[in-house]
Amino acid sequence: MSFKDAAAAAISAVFLNTEEFAERRTVIYDGETYEDIPVVLSGRKEQERKVLSFNTSSKDRGEGIYKVTHTLHCALGDLGGNQPEKGMRIAINDEEGGDFFRRFYVVSSLEEMGMLHVELEALEE
């Protein structure tokens, strides 16, 4: 067994194991729905949204809106071999079988040994 084969087996057996770290979620990307795939969605971080205004006397109509970042880990094969591209939208439900989907923008996407590491960003109140 090669190192790549051993790493792929370990990823599936441990990291994407729904009894260990992963949860089953439905992901919608590029018009395709991938139901109940094992994912690890981590790192909810909120940051004050930056006001993009050169006129300091104008009121910020987006007050109370925060930029929220997450990191998605899943197998490339579970997304049909489609690696999410920067700037595209992706939706992920909150819980297995749930019908509420959070919508994100892809900030960056990296694939190594069949595993995706996708940085996501959204604006929330």
Side-chain angles (χ1 to χ4, degrees), residues 44 46 63-66 68 123-125:
R44 180 184 167 101
E46 293 182 359
E63 189 174 321
I65 297 177
Y66 297 89
V68 179
L123 295 178
E124 293 184 1
E125 293 184 44

Side-chain angles (χ1 to χ4, degrees), residues 52-108:
L52 300 174
S53 174
F54 296 107
N55 183 355
T56 56
S57 66
S58 67
K59 298 230 181 214
D60 179 14
R61 290 177 180 37
E63 189 174 321
I65 297 177
Y66 297 89
K67 179 172 67 172
V68 179
T69 58
H70 289 273
T71 303
L72 169 70
H73 297 276
C74 68
L76 178 64
D78 287 341
L79 287 184
N82 297 316
Q83 182 175 348
E85 295 178 19
K86 182 178 179 176
M88 295 289 288
R89 294 197 69 162
I90 191 168
I92 305 169
N93 65 347
D94 272 355
E95 61 187 8
E96 182 177 354
D99 56 0
F100 178 77
F101 284 81
R102 295 195 185 276
R103 286 160 176 55
F104 302 95
Y105 285 99
V106 176
V107 176
S108 67

Side-chain angles (χ1 to χ4, degrees), residues 21-68:
F21 298 107
E23 299 174 325
R24 293 205 173 270
R25 303 282 184 96
T26 298
V27 176
I28 301 171
Y29 173 71
D30 201 22
E32 296 290 328
T33 300
Y34 306 95
E35 291 193 33
D36 297 329
I37 64 171
V39 304
V40 176
L41 189 62
S42 62
R44 180 184 167 101
K45 298 176 192 167
E46 293 182 359
Q47 299 174 342
E48 191 83 30
R49 184 184 56 84
K50 292 181 182 168
V51 178
L52 300 174
S53 174
F54 296 107
N55 183 355
T56 56
S57 66
S58 67
K59 298 230 181 214
D60 179 14
R61 290 177 180 37
E63 189 174 321
I65 297 177
Y66 297 89
K67 179 172 67 172
V68 179

